[in-house]
Amino acid sequence: MTTHLATLCVHAGELADPHGSPHTPLYTSTTFKFSSTAAILDVVEGRRAGALYTRYGLNPTIQALEEKLAAIEGAEAALAFCSGMAAESALFLTHGRQGVVCLGDAYGGTLELVASQLPQLGIPTHLLLGSELDRLPGLLQRGVGLVFFETPTNPALEQFDIAAISELAHAHGALVAVDNTFASPVNQNPLALGADFVVHSATKYLGGHSDLTAGALMGRKELVMPVWNWRKNLGQTIAPEIAALLARSLRTLPLRVERQNATAMKVALAMQAHPQVERVLYPGLPDFAGHALAQRQMKGYGGMLTIEVKGGGEAATRSADKLKLFALAPSLGGVESLVTQPSTTTHHGLTPEERTRRGISDAMLRLSVGLEEADDLIADLAQALG
Ligand code: PLP
């Protein structure tokens, strides 16, 4: 089969249906019957890939989705989960028990899991900012087994060098997992750059319509399959109804993301020229700190950007409250544009000092650009910024 993403998004993994449906049917069944005990044992003992029990993920709708998910990240195997956090936690419990290093500004739930919950299970964890990367070799020498990071990060769109970090980690026998949620497989392929795993909050660009919660983990079969058992017994498998909805969404993924890339660039340029905007953080802007690295490792710059409003936190809050097309909601990647003020939502739990240390100012507004006309979004921002 082709390796072109658009074709894979439409065709990869689709089951041949006896009634001629062009798409995999939705099997809501929790269990699947067999003609004999020998036939059951073939599936249970792994001699034949087949349907068996939905929580195991052995359901044709889920299996078809997983084939598509693997194909679009260029992976040997993929597992679909009931949320992005489910995918991350199963990964950490399977491959992170020797220790996890989390680089940069990960999603708040990830930070909480890594900083305070994994240590409760005796798993050593370390959080390093981008400015502290020189401490990574020392941690790897001490035997930390898994390096995890987002790139671009939330909300500053910081870039981490996937190829360089993977090379360093591998030299110490550690594995590398990249949360590719912000970029999506359209804009970045961490496995091709040397990472061992990709995780997604499929709730975002992969789902793309703010109407489903799901997660995905992709990588080499030998590394992904051990995670299967954790997913099974923690009960984290995606529901078949959501799997069908996610497969539906993936068929239009490149169209949506390419348009979001183009619109975000237009919005970023307009915001750079706006007198009420102090700073625009967008990997596609030539003067952005991470632009050169983004040019190397990304194919498109994404639909996420952050602006810093003149006048500080209160001015940013006023502008966010005045937006009409951008909805004030803490998510991203959907067809509708969303805005969040990190200091009052995603990073509200951090102390002001910690936000400052992480380079997150109260004046920041994070924009998730949807599929509306760019001019309408720019006009909405202009009226809100006053
Ligand atoms: N990773 C990133 C980058 C996210 O933004 C989120 C949620 O916002 C997650 C992971 C967690 O995903 P979910 O909400 O699907 O569990």
Side-chain angles (χ1 to χ4, degrees), residues 82-86 88 106-107 109-110 148 150 152 154 179-182 199-204 212-215 330-332 366:
C82 59
S83 71
M85 287 312 301
E88 284 183 28
Y107 164 65
T110 307
F148 178 93
E150 295 177 19
N154 170 32
D179 182 333
N180 206 26
T181 300
F182 264 45
V199 292
H200 278 279
S201 167
T203 314
K204 312 299 193 280
L212 66 86
T213 301
S331 193
L332 60 120
R366 187 192 80 180

Side-chain angles (χ1 to χ4, degrees), residues 136-340:
L136 182 57
L139 291 173
L140 291 168
Q141 264 153 25
R142 279 163 46 195
V144 165
L146 182 67
V147 181
F148 178 93
F149 56 97
E150 295 177 19
T151 181
T153 64
N154 170 32
L157 288 312
E158 189 180 6
Q159 302 281 318
F160 283 92
D161 190 329
I162 299 170
I165 293 168
S166 300
E167 203 180 316
L168 175 70
H170 292 159
H172 291 85
L175 297 169
V176 173
V178 176
D179 182 333
N180 206 26
T181 300
F182 264 45
S184 92
V186 180
N187 290 329
Q188 184 169 270
N189 301 115
L191 298 178
L193 293 163
D196 302 287
F197 300 102
V198 169
V199 292
H200 278 279
S201 167
T203 314
K204 312 299 193 280
Y205 286 100
L206 303 189
H209 296 71
S210 304
D211 62 0
L212 66 86
T213 301
L217 174 74
M218 295 87 155
R220 292 196 299 285
K221 203 169 180 178
E222 70 193 23
L223 294 173
V224 168
M225 287 333 284
V227 186
W228 186 86
N229 266 306
W230 284 92
R231 180 187 71 167
K232 171 170 79 82
N233 293 334
L234 292 172
Q236 300 173 303
T237 306
I238 194 169
E241 293 85 348
I242 304 297
L245 199 56
L246 179 53
R248 185 284 318 262
S249 293
L250 289 175
R251 295 180 194 117
T252 59
L253 177 73
L255 276 182
R256 288 185 278 108
V257 172
E258 282 161 18
R259 179 63 173 264
Q260 283 163 315
N261 289 345
T263 305
M265 190 69 198
K266 288 182 191 167
V267 172
L269 290 171
M271 289 300 96
Q272 250 191 343
H274 196 284
Q276 285 309 112
V277 174
E278 188 74 52
R279 201 159 64 117
V280 180
L281 302 174
Y282 184 61
L285 293 174
D287 59 355
F288 177 70
H291 178 66
L293 177 53
Q295 249 185 334
R296 272 209 320 275
Q297 69 180 11
M298 298 185 81
K299 293 179 278 183
Y301 299 116
M304 300 299 298
L305 67 140
T306 292
I307 61 173
E308 223 165 23
V309 176
K310 278 189 186 157
E314 282 177 25
T317 305
R318 269 198 308 279
S319 299
D321 287 348
K322 277 200 226 157
L323 284 163
K324 294 191 169 76
L325 271 182
F326 282 87
L328 192 56
S331 193
L332 60 120
V335 296
E336 63 293 297
S337 293
L338 302 179
V339 59
T340 51

Side-chain angles (χ1 to χ4, degrees), residues 52-84:
L52 176 67
Y53 192 65
T54 288
R55 176 171 50 77
Y56 292 12
L58 300 181
N59 168 304
T61 307
I62 297 174
Q63 289 163 313
L65 168 73
E66 290 177 340
E67 215 176 293
K68 197 185 286 291
L69 287 168
I72 66 176
E73 281 287 9
E76 275 177 17
L79 293 175
F81 290 81
C82 59
S83 71

Side-chain angles (χ1 to χ4, degrees), residues 8-56:
L8 292 173
C9 281
V10 176
H11 291 289
E14 299 291 342
L15 281 187
D17 172 49
H19 302 291
S21 163
H23 307 308
T24 303
L26 167 54
Y27 290 93
T28 56
S29 315
T30 55
T31 190
F32 294 85
K33 60 188 182 183
F34 290 78
S35 57
S36 66
T37 302
I40 284 208
L41 285 175
D42 278 347
V43 173
V44 170
E45 293 175 0
R47 283 184 294 280
R48 192 171 67 76
L52 176 67
Y53 192 65
T54 288
R55 176 171 50 77
Y56 292 12

